[in-house]
Amino acid sequence: METNHLLIKLVLLASCLIHPRVCSPSCNLPAIFNFGDSNSDTGGLSAAFGQAPYPNGQTFFHSPSGRFADGRLIIDFIAEELGLPYLNAFLDSIGSNFSHGANFATAGSTVRPPNSTISQGGSSPISLDVQLVQFSDFITRSQLIRNRGGVFKKLLPKKEYFSQALYTFDIGQNDLTSGLKLNMTTDQIKAYIPDVLDQFSNAIRKVYSKGGRRFWIHNTAPLGCLPYVLDRFPVPASQIDNHGCAIPRNEIARYYNSELKRRVIGLRKELSDAAFTYVDIYSIKHTLITQAKKLGFRYPLVACCGHGGKYNFNKLIKCGAKVMVQGKEIVLAKSCNDVLFRVSWDGIHFTETANNWIFQQINGGAFTDPHIPLKFACTR
């Protein structure tokens, strides 16, 4: 813990030399508006298609919380660090408080509109363009309703929060795996990535046009190190690296990330009065997975909550899946007993312990461009 604090201080000192404004008091970030997929979904898909079943939520919330994890996600730790409440999903009408932001992410979301329905095994219908429509409506309707006063004034954000808020994006992973589902080659997937990023960039421009000025953009994870990718889209042994990760799948992710970073740099020049922070999630997660034992974790390529096989992942029997046997409900995909030491929760998503570790690496600024701590995300 002391090492982490020292690292943050060193990064902050270096940042002061490069970005003098970092040495001034931290930013006023009174709200978060999040766009993304299951990596940051706090209840959107559950509100629309049914709750993510227990043991999802077991560690922190002690019941299903709309998150595909045993506990908190990175977006939850971001909210905690900024002193804000956890984000409610825009789609969740039960007990939601949007006074300090809203979450438009849903599990399975893509940047590009999907070509198949979720019931056909496709992506969420709430793709990034739909999330933007929801956000636009939210701006208008939240202020109209807030002006009624009473409880509405307490549950909806102040008008000025839309220009002061942190706009977080964590999306794109499902756009890449959609190509794998269609048996596309690495080159074929790389070929459509520019179109994905064109639409991603346009989404950011739209948020900017609505007053957004502080952007926090995550790149995508090392796909080739995720149990569900290793199980569902196997590669020859010759294409597996020393850590057990699929080399061509990680190549796709790295290409996407390099192009995303290039787009962010371009947007920084184009929208010069906005602050853009690019977050290298790939490097952090890759380090966690490949150095798991050294960091105190276990079995990084094996899902904690799953059912059978080398990676404890089965696409037909996912975490929490149940069957009826002689009138009795039996859970097939249970949680492991050592979840606090595991990296992968369900083969797709990370455990709360892993998410917390990932956030600690992000928070200090060592893996962001520019190298600034989270609380200084308004720095240009």
Side-chain angles (χ1 to χ4, degrees):
M1 187 64 70
E2 290 181 1
T3 303
N4 281 341
H5 286 315
L6 178 60
L7 178 61
I8 290 173
K9 288 179 180 178
L10 290 173
V11 170
L12 185 57
L13 179 61
S15 298
C16 283
L17 299 176
I18 302 170
H19 302 280
R21 286 181 60 187
V22 170
C23 300
S24 60
S26 60
C27 305
N28 173 32
L29 299 166
I32 301 170
F33 294 101
N34 181 67
F35 304 84
D37 52 31
S38 58
N39 290 308
S40 60
D41 180 2
T42 57
L45 195 79
S46 289
F49 294 99
Q51 191 66 238
Y54 194 84
N56 286 291
Q58 67 172 18
T59 300
F60 183 79
F61 301 99
H62 308 300
S63 65
S65 64
R67 294 158 175 79
F68 289 87
D70 63 305
R72 289 165 290 183
L73 309 178
I74 295 171
I75 190 67
D76 294 313
F77 291 111
I78 289 175
E80 284 185 8
E81 180 67 14
L82 297 179
L84 300 175
Y86 299 133
L87 289 184
N88 285 124
F90 170 79
L91 292 175
D92 192 354
S93 60
I94 308 298
S96 292
N97 184 334
F98 300 115
S99 59
H100 292 278
N103 193 349
F104 301 93
T106 65
S109 287
T110 50
V111 173
R112 300 196 299 180
N115 292 321
S116 58
T117 68
I118 196 166
S119 61
Q120 295 172 315
S123 302
S124 164
I126 316 297
S127 50
L128 186 55
D129 60 322
V130 177
Q131 294 180 30
L132 288 171
V133 170
Q134 294 172 340
F135 170 65
S136 180
D137 285 348
F138 181 82
I139 294 176
T140 304
R141 295 181 63 228
S142 67
Q143 297 312 293
L144 288 173
I145 295 171
R146 190 175 190 276
N147 288 336
R148 295 177 186 175
V151 67
F152 300 114
K153 192 171 184 179
K154 296 178 181 179
L155 296 178
L156 294 167
K158 297 177 181 178
K159 184 178 180 180
E160 59 267 27
Y161 283 6
F162 291 101
S163 60
Q164 299 169 347
L166 185 66
Y167 288 86
T168 52
F169 290 80
D170 192 335
I171 194 167
Q173 182 172 314
N174 295 317
D175 290 272
L176 305 183
T177 56
S178 65
L180 296 178
K181 291 177 182 178
L182 296 173
N183 295 317
M184 288 186 174
T185 65
T186 296
D187 287 340
Q188 287 173 325
I189 294 173
K190 283 183 176 181
Y192 70 68
I193 285 175
D195 181 54
V196 174
L197 293 175
D198 282 345
Q199 296 190 40
F200 197 156
S201 299
N202 286 333
I204 291 172
R205 290 185 183 99
K206 287 178 182 177
V207 173
Y208 177 89
S209 73
K210 298 292 182 181
R213 290 297 182 272
R214 297 154 179 190
F215 297 92
W216 184 268
I217 303 167
H218 290 189
N219 69 11
T220 203
L223 299 179
C225 299
L226 302 181
Y228 86 105
V229 171
L230 290 164
D231 179 84
R232 291 192 62 184
F233 313 110
V235 298
S238 60
Q239 295 180 4
I240 297 291
D241 67 18
N242 294 334
H243 302 290
C245 300
I247 295 170
R249 311 312 187 207
N250 281 347
E251 180 185 339
I252 293 167
R254 285 196 302 271
Y255 178 74
Y256 175 88
N257 291 339
S258 65
E259 289 300 297
L260 174 61
K261 186 173 184 179
R262 190 169 64 83
R263 299 301 181 98
V264 171
I265 291 170
L267 286 167
R268 219 178 255 147
K269 295 175 181 177
E270 177 186 338
L271 310 174
S272 58
D273 61 336
F276 288 89
T277 306
Y278 172 87
V279 186
D280 188 7
I281 290 291
Y282 180 101
S283 293
I284 300 171
K285 288 184 175 179
H286 190 265
T287 297
L288 174 59
I289 292 166
T290 59
Q291 299 182 31
K293 186 175 181 180
K294 179 181 176 182
L295 295 169
F297 289 85
R298 304 169 186 164
Y299 317 120
L301 300 182
V302 179
C304 167
C305 186
H307 184 79
K310 180 178 180 180
Y311 304 105
N312 195 35
F313 177 85
N314 185 322
K315 69 176 182 177
L316 301 177
I317 310 174
K318 294 183 179 179
C319 182
K322 303 172 184 177
V323 293
M324 294 296 292
V325 179
Q326 297 180 346
K328 186 178 180 181
E329 199 172 61
I330 304 295
V331 179
L332 291 179
K334 301 178 181 179
S335 170
C336 59
N337 295 322
D338 58 349
V339 63
L340 297 180
F341 300 95
R342 299 293 282 271
V343 173
S344 178
W345 167 239
D346 58 3
I348 304 171
H349 311 99
F350 288 69
T351 64
E352 175 178 287
T353 305
N355 284 328
N356 188 18
W357 186 88
I358 293 163
F359 171 73
Q360 296 306 325
Q361 315 315 305
I362 293 170
N363 192 33
F367 290 89
T368 63
D369 177 28
H371 293 306
I372 54 174
L374 171 65
K375 288 185 176 179
F376 294 87
C378 65
T379 304
R380 297 197 301 273

